[in-house]
mmCIF file of all heavy atoms in Angstrom:
data_model
loop_
_atom_site.group_PDB
_atom_site.id
_atom_site.type_symbol
_atom_site.label_atom_id
_atom_site.label_comp_id
_atom_site.label_asym_id
_atom_site.label_seq_id
_atom_site.Cartn_x
_atom_site.Cartn_y
_atom_site.Cartn_z
ATOM 1 N N GLY I 5 30.049 13.489 20.994
ATOM 2 C CA GLY I 5 28.989 14.341 21.499
ATOM 3 C C GLY I 5 27.871 14.616 20.525
ATOM 4 O O GLY I 5 27.024 15.501 20.776
ATOM 5 N N LEU I 6 27.806 13.890 19.424
ATOM 6 C CA LEU I 6 26.722 14.080 18.462
ATOM 7 C C LEU I 6 25.477 13.346 18.943
ATOM 8 O O LEU I 6 25.574 12.336 19.707
ATOM 9 C CB LEU I 6 27.110 13.581 17.063
ATOM 10 C CG LEU I 6 28.322 14.275 16.443
ATOM 11 C CD1 LEU I 6 28.572 13.709 15.062
ATOM 12 C CD2 LEU I 6 28.152 15.751 16.384
ATOM 13 N N THR I 7 24.328 13.795 18.552
ATOM 14 C CA THR I 7 23.060 13.213 18.964
ATOM 15 C C THR I 7 22.517 12.318 17.826
ATOM 16 O O THR I 7 22.212 12.797 16.739
ATOM 17 C CB THR I 7 22.005 14.266 19.289
ATOM 18 O OG1 THR I 7 22.507 15.111 20.316
ATOM 19 C CG2 THR I 7 20.699 13.630 19.730
ATOM 20 N N ILE I 8 22.467 11.014 18.073
ATOM 21 C CA ILE I 8 21.981 10.080 17.058
ATOM 22 C C ILE I 8 20.457 10.088 17.112
ATOM 23 O O ILE I 8 19.857 9.646 18.096
ATOM 24 C CB ILE I 8 22.533 8.670 17.309
ATOM 25 C CG1 ILE I 8 24.076 8.672 17.239
ATOM 26 C CG2 ILE I 8 21.990 7.675 16.253
ATOM 27 C CD1 ILE I 8 24.718 7.418 17.770
ATOM 28 N N LYS I 9 19.832 10.550 16.046
ATOM 29 C CA LYS I 9 18.381 10.711 16.062
ATOM 30 C C LYS I 9 17.629 9.591 15.401
ATOM 31 O O LYS I 9 16.396 9.516 15.530
ATOM 32 C CB LYS I 9 18.038 12.059 15.421
ATOM 33 C CG LYS I 9 18.578 13.267 16.214
ATOM 34 C CD LYS I 9 17.866 14.533 15.910
ATOM 35 C CE LYS I 9 18.236 15.627 16.909
ATOM 36 N NZ LYS I 9 17.471 16.885 16.710
ATOM 37 N N THR I 10 18.319 8.743 14.657
ATOM 38 C CA THR I 10 17.638 7.597 14.038
ATOM 39 C C THR I 10 17.069 6.691 15.113
ATOM 40 O O THR I 10 17.776 6.305 16.064
ATOM 41 C CB THR I 10 18.624 6.806 13.166
ATOM 42 O OG1 THR I 10 19.113 7.664 12.148
ATOM 43 C CG2 THR I 10 17.972 5.573 12.557
ATOM 44 N N PRO I 11 15.810 6.274 15.002
ATOM 45 C CA PRO I 11 15.225 5.352 16.012
ATOM 46 C C PRO I 11 16.038 4.086 16.155
ATOM 47 O O PRO I 11 16.506 3.535 15.133
ATOM 48 C CB PRO I 11 13.835 5.083 15.461
ATOM 49 C CG PRO I 11 13.529 6.220 14.551
ATOM 50 C CD PRO I 11 14.831 6.634 13.952
ATOM 51 N N TRP I 12 16.205 3.618 17.371
ATOM 52 C CA TRP I 12 16.992 2.390 17.580
ATOM 53 C C TRP I 12 16.349 1.221 16.827
ATOM 54 O O TRP I 12 17.045 0.391 16.254
ATOM 55 C CB TRP I 12 17.128 2.064 19.039
ATOM 56 C CG TRP I 12 17.773 0.709 19.226
ATOM 57 C CD1 TRP I 12 17.160 -0.456 19.575
ATOM 58 C CD2 TRP I 12 19.170 0.414 18.958
ATOM 59 N NE1 TRP I 12 18.081 -1.468 19.554
ATOM 60 C CE2 TRP I 12 19.313 -0.993 19.175
ATOM 61 C CE3 TRP I 12 20.249 1.135 18.539
ATOM 62 C CZ2 TRP I 12 20.533 -1.644 19.017
ATOM 63 C CZ3 TRP I 12 21.472 0.480 18.360
ATOM 64 C CH2 TRP I 12 21.620 -0.857 18.616
ATOM 65 N N ALA I 13 15.029 1.147 16.808
ATOM 66 C CA ALA I 13 14.355 0.048 16.117
ATOM 67 C C ALA I 13 14.703 0.013 14.639
ATOM 68 O O ALA I 13 14.842 -1.055 14.035
ATOM 69 C CB ALA I 13 12.869 0.153 16.317
ATOM 70 N N PHE I 14 14.881 1.178 14.051
ATOM 71 C CA PHE I 14 15.287 1.274 12.651
ATOM 72 C C PHE I 14 16.710 0.697 12.483
ATOM 73 O O PHE I 14 16.962 -0.111 11.595
ATOM 74 C CB PHE I 14 15.245 2.749 12.195
ATOM 75 C CG PHE I 14 15.596 2.958 10.754
ATOM 76 C CD1 PHE I 14 14.642 3.216 9.801
ATOM 77 C CD2 PHE I 14 16.951 2.996 10.356
ATOM 78 C CE1 PHE I 14 14.966 3.445 8.478
ATOM 79 C CE2 PHE I 14 17.311 3.212 9.050
ATOM 80 C CZ PHE I 14 16.312 3.427 8.082
ATOM 81 N N GLN I 15 17.593 1.126 13.347
ATOM 82 C CA GLN I 15 18.988 0.666 13.298
ATOM 83 C C GLN I 15 19.102 -0.842 13.491
ATOM 84 O O GLN I 15 19.825 -1.545 12.786
ATOM 85 C CB GLN I 15 19.813 1.355 14.377
ATOM 86 C CG GLN I 15 19.915 2.855 14.257
ATOM 87 C CD GLN I 15 20.835 3.445 15.319
ATOM 88 O OE1 GLN I 15 21.998 3.052 15.430
ATOM 89 N NE2 GLN I 15 20.304 4.372 16.118
ATOM 90 N N ALA I 16 18.333 -1.340 14.471
ATOM 91 C CA ALA I 16 18.400 -2.783 14.790
ATOM 92 C C ALA I 16 17.857 -3.601 13.623
ATOM 93 O O ALA I 16 18.389 -4.669 13.319
ATOM 94 C CB ALA I 16 17.612 -3.070 16.059
ATOM 95 N N ALA I 17 16.802 -3.103 12.968
ATOM 96 C CA ALA I 17 16.255 -3.852 11.833
ATOM 97 C C ALA I 17 17.269 -3.962 10.713
ATOM 98 O O ALA I 17 17.498 -5.053 10.166
ATOM 99 C CB ALA I 17 14.990 -3.125 11.344
ATOM 100 N N ILE I 18 17.930 -2.863 10.367
ATOM 101 C CA ILE I 18 18.951 -2.895 9.286
ATOM 102 C C ILE I 18 20.102 -3.806 9.706
ATOM 103 O O ILE I 18 20.594 -4.605 8.924
ATOM 104 C CB ILE I 18 19.448 -1.501 8.968
ATOM 105 C CG1 ILE I 18 18.297 -0.596 8.464
ATOM 106 C CG2 ILE I 18 20.574 -1.549 7.942
ATOM 107 C CD1 ILE I 18 17.678 -1.020 7.159
ATOM 108 N N MET I 19 20.538 -3.692 10.958
ATOM 109 C CA MET I 19 21.653 -4.506 11.470
ATOM 110 C C MET I 19 21.342 -5.985 11.350
ATOM 111 O O MET I 19 22.219 -6.819 11.041
ATOM 112 C CB MET I 19 21.959 -4.132 12.909
ATOM 113 C CG MET I 19 23.086 -4.942 13.511
ATOM 114 S SD MET I 19 23.569 -4.352 15.200
ATOM 115 C CE MET I 19 22.121 -4.709 16.162
ATOM 116 N N ASN I 20 20.109 -6.339 11.622
ATOM 117 C CA ASN I 20 19.724 -7.758 11.642
ATOM 118 C C ASN I 20 19.140 -8.220 10.313
ATOM 119 O O ASN I 20 18.622 -9.355 10.259
ATOM 120 C CB ASN I 20 18.733 -8.000 12.771
ATOM 121 C CG ASN I 20 19.346 -7.847 14.133
ATOM 122 O OD1 ASN I 20 20.461 -8.270 14.367
ATOM 123 N ND2 ASN I 20 18.654 -7.144 15.055
ATOM 124 N N GLY I 21 19.210 -7.428 9.279
ATOM 125 C CA GLY I 21 18.819 -7.861 7.990
ATOM 126 C C GLY I 21 17.308 -7.933 7.744
ATOM 127 O O GLY I 21 16.855 -8.708 6.919
ATOM 128 N N THR I 22 16.560 -7.108 8.450
ATOM 129 C CA THR I 22 15.116 -7.081 8.277
ATOM 130 C C THR I 22 14.702 -5.651 7.863
ATOM 131 O O THR I 22 15.497 -4.698 7.978
ATOM 132 C CB THR I 22 14.374 -7.478 9.548
ATOM 133 O OG1 THR I 22 14.698 -6.574 10.594
ATOM 134 C CG2 THR I 22 14.754 -8.913 9.994
ATOM 135 N N ASP I 23 13.467 -5.506 7.402
ATOM 136 C CA ASP I 23 12.998 -4.198 6.983
ATOM 137 C C ASP I 23 12.482 -3.432 8.194
ATOM 138 O O ASP I 23 11.749 -3.946 9.013
ATOM 139 C CB ASP I 23 11.832 -4.327 5.989
ATOM 140 C CG ASP I 23 12.307 -4.913 4.658
ATOM 141 O OD1 ASP I 23 13.488 -4.637 4.310
ATOM 142 O OD2 ASP I 23 11.531 -5.641 4.025
ATOM 143 N N PRO I 24 12.893 -2.156 8.323
ATOM 144 C CA PRO I 24 12.356 -1.331 9.409
ATOM 145 C C PRO I 24 10.864 -1.090 9.203
ATOM 146 O O PRO I 24 10.377 -1.156 8.057
ATOM 147 C CB PRO I 24 13.144 -0.034 9.319
ATOM 148 C CG PRO I 24 13.684 0.001 7.936
ATOM 149 C CD PRO I 24 13.871 -1.409 7.511
ATOM 150 N N SER I 25 10.152 -0.847 10.266
ATOM 151 C CA SER I 25 8.705 -0.633 10.181
ATOM 152 C C SER I 25 8.417 0.649 9.423
ATOM 153 O O SER I 25 9.222 1.577 9.362
ATOM 154 C CB SER I 25 8.112 -0.536 11.576
ATOM 155 O OG SER I 25 8.521 0.704 12.217
ATOM 156 N N PRO I 26 7.229 0.748 8.810
ATOM 157 C CA PRO I 26 6.829 1.985 8.108
ATOM 158 C C PRO I 26 6.903 3.206 9.035
ATOM 159 O O PRO I 26 7.261 4.304 8.608
ATOM 160 C CB PRO I 26 5.407 1.673 7.657
ATOM 161 C CG PRO I 26 5.331 0.198 7.525
ATOM 162 C CD PRO I 26 6.216 -0.330 8.628
ATOM 163 N N GLN I 27 6.536 2.991 10.305
ATOM 164 C CA GLN I 27 6.567 4.101 11.258
ATOM 165 C C GLN I 27 8.014 4.622 11.447
ATOM 166 O O GLN I 27 8.240 5.827 11.494
ATOM 167 C CB GLN I 27 5.977 3.661 12.612
ATOM 168 C CG GLN I 27 4.508 3.337 12.555
ATOM 169 C CD GLN I 27 4.228 1.889 12.158
ATOM 170 O OE1 GLN I 27 5.132 1.189 11.733
ATOM 171 N NE2 GLN I 27 2.965 1.480 12.281
ATOM 172 N N ASP I 28 8.965 3.681 11.564
ATOM 173 C CA ASP I 28 10.351 4.107 11.754
ATOM 174 C C ASP I 28 10.916 4.718 10.492
ATOM 175 O O ASP I 28 11.740 5.632 10.546
ATOM 176 C CB ASP I 28 11.194 2.916 12.216
ATOM 177 C CG ASP I 28 10.906 2.529 13.670
ATOM 178 O OD1 ASP I 28 10.612 3.438 14.443
ATOM 179 O OD2 ASP I 28 10.965 1.333 13.993
ATOM 180 N N VAL I 29 10.527 4.198 9.369
ATOM 181 C CA VAL I 29 10.953 4.800 8.093
ATOM 182 C C VAL I 29 10.445 6.253 7.992
ATOM 183 O O VAL I 29 11.155 7.168 7.566
ATOM 184 C CB VAL I 29 10.476 3.978 6.868
ATOM 185 C CG1 VAL I 29 10.714 4.731 5.552
ATOM 186 C CG2 VAL I 29 11.168 2.626 6.846
ATOM 187 N N ALA I 30 9.198 6.460 8.415
ATOM 188 C CA ALA I 30 8.621 7.815 8.378
ATOM 189 C C ALA I 30 9.384 8.747 9.335
ATOM 190 O O ALA I 30 9.640 9.916 8.999
ATOM 191 C CB ALA I 30 7.153 7.745 8.782
ATOM 192 N N LEU I 31 9.726 8.244 10.505
ATOM 193 C CA LEU I 31 10.491 9.067 11.472
ATOM 194 C C LEU I 31 11.874 9.398 10.918
ATOM 195 O O LEU I 31 12.341 10.549 11.034
ATOM 196 C CB LEU I 31 10.625 8.315 12.786
ATOM 197 C CG LEU I 31 9.367 8.211 13.646
ATOM 198 C CD1 LEU I 31 9.614 7.259 14.830
ATOM 199 C CD2 LEU I 31 8.967 9.578 14.160
ATOM 200 N N GLN I 32 12.528 8.438 10.274
ATOM 201 C CA GLN I 32 13.835 8.692 9.659
ATOM 202 C C GLN I 32 13.704 9.682 8.527
ATOM 203 O O GLN I 32 14.526 10.622 8.399
ATOM 204 C CB GLN I 32 14.427 7.374 9.165
ATOM 205 C CG GLN I 32 15.767 7.492 8.444
ATOM 206 C CD GLN I 32 16.960 7.446 9.347
ATOM 207 O OE1 GLN I 32 16.898 7.908 10.486
ATOM 208 N NE2 GLN I 32 18.053 6.868 8.861
ATOM 209 N N THR I 33 12.693 9.555 7.743
ATOM 210 C CA THR I 33 12.466 10.499 6.616
ATOM 211 C C THR I 33 12.294 11.913 7.128
ATOM 212 O O THR I 33 12.844 12.862 6.563
ATOM 213 C CB THR I 33 11.226 10.056 5.809
ATOM 214 O OG1 THR I 33 11.425 8.745 5.295
ATOM 215 C CG2 THR I 33 10.963 11.049 4.682
ATOM 216 N N GLN I 34 11.564 12.062 8.226
ATOM 217 C CA GLN I 34 11.333 13.391 8.766
ATOM 218 C C GLN I 34 12.627 14.058 9.263
ATOM 219 O O GLN I 34 12.780 15.265 9.153
ATOM 220 C CB GLN I 34 10.337 13.264 9.965
ATOM 221 C CG GLN I 34 10.000 14.603 10.626
ATOM 222 C CD GLN I 34 8.959 14.443 11.692
ATOM 223 O OE1 GLN I 34 7.869 13.989 11.413
ATOM 224 N NE2 GLN I 34 9.302 14.856 12.912
ATOM 225 N N LEU I 35 13.577 13.245 9.741
ATOM 226 C CA LEU I 35 14.855 13.783 10.141
ATOM 227 C C LEU I 35 15.549 14.501 9.003
ATOM 228 O O LEU I 35 16.224 15.541 9.177
ATOM 229 C CB LEU I 35 15.754 12.657 10.674
ATOM 230 C CG LEU I 35 15.315 11.915 11.930
ATOM 231 C CD1 LEU I 35 16.306 10.800 12.239
ATOM 232 C CD2 LEU I 35 15.186 12.867 13.106
#
């Protein structure tokens, strides 16, 4: 029942071995 707040695009980038976008990094940082 926890709420995963990390953007999916950020998760998918790390999972697939690529760098997340600056926008998604900024959103994650804000969390």
Side-chain angles (χ1 to χ4, degrees):
L6 300 182
T7 302
I8 300 167
K9 296 201 170 184
T10 299
W12 173 255
F14 182 103
Q15 298 183 57
I18 299 295
M19 179 174 67
N20 292 319
T22 61
D23 292 327
S25 71
Q27 294 86 351
D28 287 327
V29 171
L31 287 171
Q32 177 88 326
T33 300
Q34 182 175 302
L35 297 176

